[in-house]
Amino acid sequence: MPRNIKIAVEKGTRTLDGIPGKNYWQNEGKYNINVTVSPDTKIVSGMEKIVYSNNSPDTLKFLAIRFVNNVHKPESPRNGQVSDDFFTTGLDITSFAVNGETYNINSKNWGTVAGVRLKDPLLPHSSVELNIAWNYPLSKQDGREGQIDSTTFYVAYSYPRISVYDDYNGWDFLPHTLGQEFYNDFNDYQLSVKVPKDYVVWGTGNLENPDEVLQPTIAKRLKDSYVSNDVIHIATLDEMKNHKVTVQNDWNTWRFNSQHITDVCFAVSKNYVWDGASALVDAATNRRASVQAAYNDTAKDFHHYVKWAQHSLEYFSTKWPGVSFPFPKMTSFQGHADMEYPMMVNDATTKDLKFAEMVQDHEIAHSYFPFYMGTNEKRYAFMDEGWATTFEYLIGQEEFGKAHADSVYKMFRVKRYITDPSTEEDQPIISMSTQVSGAGYGNNSYGKASLSYLALKDMLGDSLFKKALHFYMDKWHGKHPIPWDYFNAMSAGAGQNLNWFFKNWFFTNNYIDLKIDTVKRENDFYTITVKNVGGFAIPFDVKIVYVDGQVGLLHESPAIWQKNEKQQVFKISTTKIIKSVELDGGIFMDYTPEDNRWQG
Ligand SMILES: [Zn+2]
């Protein structure tokens, strides 16, 4: 446990019991944002009022203001190559006031995060009001945001926000460099988006004024979709082209509302079509969530997106993680990002329908981790990507059968990692995500972390694993859990100390490599010695084939490695002759599979 985490425990904001401490706090904001998108100039301009509450025991002498899209400035640090079309001039703050007092702010040299010294410090348990006006250009090359086509834009990270000030690290001043993702406070948002007529806006939160911005037929279809099982074509291409969708004012202002959420974003288009339906996400209260998709009519996969998303929401609500979908809405938008946002997904189109469904499953799974759980993706990406990868695999078993899900998981999530003996593959998962790159970032965040969650599921069994996972989610949702909170919560929820398991998976250079060392016969006994060369506490099957054709199959859970992490000895009492022994880890692919087989 790092020193700053120990201090948090001493201060009583965190505990070793898996629950938030009695002194736990987090800061929050109420954001009232008015944004205008000008399709002619591709400029986003906005004004916002932020009421920011300092719930910490500390006096804040400055505020850290975050604007992720400054990563488009040529001088910003990035951890990958970009093209000329990626560059913009970034954020221009045109006015900035604190509690009504104008500050002379020059944002020309701001990076993705900048400090603003307060004239009057913000005292503990008090709040401050900011009023900010700004503008920035939409990047021509879209990634997680930007111009998708000349009349379609994905507008994310579009407003200056207050960075996180937390109990274990203080202000989050880590720059955004495209590689790692995000860490945000839970805020309330009133978001208004002003666009010209014929532009539809899809955004985070409930659309509050459908009748003001949509023509009556379209508004009715949208409302019908909120309770419909069947997919409704809310706006067709023909209607979009013929000015039959939005109200025909020169400009329309679309208003969205969302509470206790980590971010808001939106997308606009003059040429996308729009589908909608709903999913029952809580049978006890009959709560339904709206499911929508907006896409270019030529994208074949997106015609299935609403149907697929209904299944995702129902599966995630009732099976894994088995927690009722925590938001009222989910919109999938066709872009190029394969990226999650609260209540929004931005996915690329592909001809491979199974892959398209899997990607949408993955991005929607992020609704739980990080958006419901509030994890710090920048420092601990495995706390969200590992789970999204795990749920993507579990739902995939239901959608495509176990054999297909296994094969896809092995190919995309495990194979490249386990066949590559480079040092960076075997850095401990606990390594801070900002301190690893390339393969070290990718596999620590996705494959290895997911394997650890699935290994724990195998060890505890589905019912106890779910009980532990629900304990963790119940205690920490809407907060900011860190890895030690996860470890402690799973131990508490499972009613057993799992530290040995977490140490094995998160704090070592282990990898997956079993080996049959020896198979010896003595009287009526066989002694099979299995070495754990790679070290990870994985589940595996032992398949014993006898000369007479009989087959014996043993399944060992990771628990077998608790007492001795290096080696296991199996004693098989039999008068028969063993022909072959084989170890099979399934999705826990072995670095050297050739020594997993013994032939008599
Ligand atoms: Zn992901």
Side-chain angles (χ1 to χ4, degrees):
M1 189 181 274
R3 283 178 284 166
N4 60 329
I5 312 301
K6 284 182 187 158
I7 292 168
V9 172
E10 280 161 23
K11 286 185 169 172
T13 56
R14 314 255 157 190
T15 69
L16 301 178
D17 308 322
I19 58 175
K22 63 181 194 310
N23 299 326
Y24 181 83
W25 55 266
Q26 64 193 28
N27 291 351
E28 66 199 318
K30 289 194 191 312
Y31 284 68
N32 196 323
I33 304 171
N34 296 287
V35 174
T36 301
V37 179
S38 302
D40 293 345
T41 60
K42 317 285 193 273
I43 298 281
V44 177
S45 52
M47 294 176 68
E48 67 183 346
K49 180 175 100 172
I50 307 171
V51 177
Y52 178 71
S53 298
N54 176 19
N55 300 323
S56 83
D58 309 325
T59 296
L60 304 180
K61 296 197 171 111
F62 58 88
L63 298 174
I65 307 291
R66 185 167 288 281
F67 190 75
V68 162
N69 283 339
N70 269 350
V71 77
H72 288 279
K73 289 166 87 167
E75 59 271 44
S76 283
R78 280 173 293 274
N79 48 13
Q81 185 81 11
V82 293
S83 76
D84 284 348
D85 284 346
F86 185 82
F87 294 130
T88 74
T89 49
L91 174 70
D92 182 15
I93 289 202
T94 52
S95 77
F96 192 105
V98 180
N99 287 337
E101 186 177 355
T102 300
Y103 278 40
N104 191 8
I105 294 287
N106 184 348
S107 57
K108 188 175 178 301
N109 292 319
W110 279 16
T112 54
V113 59
V116 171
R117 183 158 288 279
L118 292 169
K119 290 175 183 170
D120 300 306
L122 177 56
L123 299 175
H125 312 293
S126 60
S127 59
V128 64
E129 182 182 309
L130 301 181
N131 281 278
I132 306 174
W134 73 97
N135 61 73
Y136 75 97
L138 286 165
S139 159
K140 192 167 180 195
Q141 181 197 326
D142 74 301
R144 290 177 178 143
E145 36 63 51
Q147 303 175 37
I148 289 167
D149 62 41
S150 62
T151 55
T152 304
F153 316 122
Y154 201 88
V155 189
Y157 328 117
S158 63
Y159 58 97
R161 63 182 301 153
I162 298 178
S163 191
V164 178
Y165 183 81
D166 65 30
D167 63 305
Y168 63 97
N169 204 52
W171 281 113
D172 176 19
F173 264 110
L174 289 173
H176 177 75
T177 60
L178 290 179
Q180 296 76 34
E181 297 185 340
F182 307 98
Y183 179 39
N184 291 318
D185 281 326
F186 286 87
N187 299 318
D188 293 341
Y189 289 94
Q190 191 71 51
L191 169 69
S192 296
V193 181
K194 189 172 154 191
V195 287
K197 67 180 169 194
D198 296 328
Y199 277 85
V200 175
V201 182
W202 297 269
T204 305
N206 291 317
L207 175 63
E208 292 203 307
N209 59 337
D211 298 321
E212 280 174 31
V213 293
L214 293 169
Q215 296 186 26
T217 316
I218 307 294
K220 179 171 186 312
R221 286 185 207 154
L222 173 63
K223 289 177 206 167
D224 288 347
S225 79
Y226 293 159
V227 289
S228 173
N229 275 321
D230 298 326
V231 179
I232 293 176
H233 301 298
I234 298 169
T236 64
L237 185 58
D238 187 60
E239 289 163 338
M240 289 293 283
K241 278 184 182 160
N242 292 299
H243 318 286
K244 289 180 176 162
V245 178
T246 76
V247 168
Q248 295 296 297
N249 300 323
D250 285 347
W251 292 80
N252 292 313
T253 301
W254 300 61
R255 294 204 315 268
F256 299 89
N257 183 297
S258 49
Q259 268 102 45
H260 199 66
I261 195 158
T262 53
D263 199 6
V264 289
C265 69
F266 61 93
V268 309
S269 180
K270 199 181 178 176
N271 54 291
Y272 270 22
V273 298
W274 184 7
D275 291 346
S278 66
L280 179 66
V281 295
D282 189 349
T285 61
N286 253 341
R287 185 168 69 84
R288 303 186 76 87
S290 165
V291 181
Q292 301 177 37
Y295 55 97
N296 195 317
D297 203 35
T298 56
K300 295 233 161 30
D301 51 348
F302 268 83
H303 285 268
H304 302 277
Y305 253 60
V306 167
K307 205 82 216 153
W308 291 341
Q310 284 177 301
H311 181 249
S312 306
L313 265 61
E314 286 160 10
Y315 180 94
F316 295 144
S317 295
T318 55
K319 293 180 179 166
W320 293 104
V323 171
S324 178
F325 188 74
F327 302 108
K329 183 177 172 188
M330 172 53 67
T331 303
S332 295
F333 194 85
Q334 184 195 346
H336 304 101
D338 294 344
M339 178 69 194
E340 72 280 9
Y341 315 74
M343 299 191 219
M344 298 278 285
V345 158
N346 171 341
D347 275 358
T349 180
T350 161
K351 290 198 164 57
D352 181 343
L353 296 187
K354 284 182 179 173
F355 190 76
E357 185 170 1
M358 182 186 101
V359 172
Q360 189 185 224
D361 286 341
H362 176 103
E363 307 312 343
I364 292 178
H366 278 302
S367 300
Y368 294 90
F369 300 88
F371 299 130
Y372 181 58
M373 295 300 290
T375 54
N376 186 337
E377 305 165 71
K378 294 166 79 178
R379 285 167 185 263
Y380 311 116
F382 52 88
M383 293 184 80
D384 72 298
E385 294 300 353
W387 285 111
T389 302
T390 300
F391 297 142
E392 149 208 310
Y393 168 63
L394 295 172
I395 192 175
Q397 293 183 11
E398 188 172 283
E399 288 166 346
F400 314 116
K402 184 161 186 309
H404 180 87
D406 279 1
S407 132
V408 169
Y409 186 87
K410 283 179 174 180
M411 193 160 56
F412 283 104
R413 305 306 193 184
V414 190
K415 192 174 175 203
R416 221 170 2 167
Y417 142 63
I418 201 61
T419 52
D420 174 10
S422 311
T423 308
E424 50 265 52
E425 300 284 12
D426 299 332
Q427 293 174 98
I429 301 176
I430 197 70
S431 308
M432 233 173 80
S433 304
T434 44
Q435 304 287 312
V436 285
S437 60
Y441 174 79
N443 286 319
N444 273 2
S445 310
Y446 293 77
K448 278 161 69 181
S450 172
L451 287 165
S452 88
Y453 301 142
L454 290 165
L456 187 57
K457 178 170 174 284
D458 185 278
M459 183 168 89
L460 297 178
D462 280 2
S463 127
L464 187 58
F465 178 72
K466 188 173 271 186
K467 185 177 170 224
L469 179 60
H470 284 189
F471 181 87
Y472 166 52
M473 293 179 74
D474 185 48
K475 296 297 178 194
W476 286 98
H477 75 85
K479 298 190 169 67
H480 293 311
I482 54 176
W484 295 269
D485 299 320
Y486 163 70
F487 303 144
N488 294 327
M490 292 303 280
S491 286
Q496 53 186 275
N497 188 333
L498 298 168
N499 283 351
W500 76 269
F501 178 87
F502 294 125
K503 188 176 178 197
N504 175 290
W505 271 95
F506 286 83
F507 294 85
T508 66
N509 303 97
N510 285 346
Y511 56 99
I512 307 169
D513 190 6
L514 300 183
K515 174 190 180 178
I516 299 179
D517 194 41
T518 53
V519 177
K520 285 187 187 143
R521 188 174 188 202
E522 252 178 290
N523 303 322
D524 290 345
F525 274 102
Y526 272 94
T527 308
I528 304 169
T529 305
V530 173
K531 287 226 183 312
N532 192 345
V533 182
F536 268 149
I538 61 160
F540 63 100
D541 292 336
V542 186
K543 186 178 170 191
I544 300 169
V545 178
Y546 295 91
V547 170
D548 66 4
Q550 200 198 332
V551 177
L553 201 61
L554 300 169
H555 178 74
E556 294 300 338
S557 97
I560 197 174
W561 305 111
Q562 183 172 4
K563 292 254 153 51
N564 184 347
E565 289 184 330
K566 302 259 182 254
Q567 135 176 336
Q568 295 301 325
V569 178
F570 297 92
K571 288 214 185 288
I572 312 283
S573 165
T574 182
T575 52
K576 294 199 270 193
I577 306 293
I578 291 179
K579 188 173 145 198
S580 66
V581 180
E582 192 178 343
L583 308 177
D584 183 4
I587 56 169
F588 294 83
M589 292 174 79
D590 201 282
Y591 174 45
T592 56
E594 52 284 359
D595 61 18
N596 286 15
R597 194 176 160 82
W598 174 87
Q599 194 80 34

